Amino acid sequence: MNAPSESLVVWCNCPDEASATTLAQGLLAGRLAACVNLLPSVKSIYHWHDGVETSLEVPLMIKTTRATYPALEAWLLAHHPYEIPEIIALPIVAGSASYLAWLAQETQ
């Protein structure tokens, strides 16, 4: 069974719902993620090219495993429309044993 520390949630913002959907479908097709949630758009304010930018983005909440993460990150870097996409992995420190087992099974 998948231990909590082996499970990850990966956050990745996208410029719009179409690209978010395309990325989510690609991650699932490649078995790089067990589940991807497209969250409601958020207003992001960030430093970029010596200025401050403001944009609406669609966050992805991606559930995967530590073992699958390197391939997931490489795939996102190759397919994401941003020059430098936000890709942040957070450990799942606790969770339903049956859900974590399913997550591990779906990303093998």
Side-chain angles (χ1 to χ4, degrees):
M1 181 172 5
N2 193 26
S5 63
E6 295 173 2
S7 304
L8 300 174
V9 172
V10 178
W11 287 90
C12 181
N13 283 342
C14 302
D16 52 47
E17 189 170 340
S19 64
T21 298
T22 299
L23 290 172
Q25 290 171 338
L27 291 169
L28 291 169
R31 311 276 297 173
L32 299 172
C35 175
V36 181
N37 300 111
L38 281 71
L39 302 175
S41 66
V42 297
K43 185 176 189 177
S44 297
I45 303 171
Y46 52 93
H47 288 280
W48 187 246
H49 294 296
D50 297 324
V52 175
E53 297 287 328
T54 300
S55 60
L56 288 179
E57 296 182 296
V58 176
L60 296 178
M61 185 171 63
I62 306 160
K63 275 73 79 174
T64 193
T65 62
R66 190 174 300 275
T68 306
Y69 177 79
L72 180 147
E73 180 183 8
W75 190 92
L76 279 175
L77 289 171
H79 294 91
H80 201 287
Y82 285 168
E83 180 182 342
I84 302 174
E86 173 186 17
I87 305 170
I88 300 172
L90 306 168
I92 297 175
V93 297
S96 159
S98 57
Y99 180 83
L100 297 177
W102 170 81
L103 192 159
Q105 177 184 339
E106 293 303 316
T107 56
Q108 290 181 2

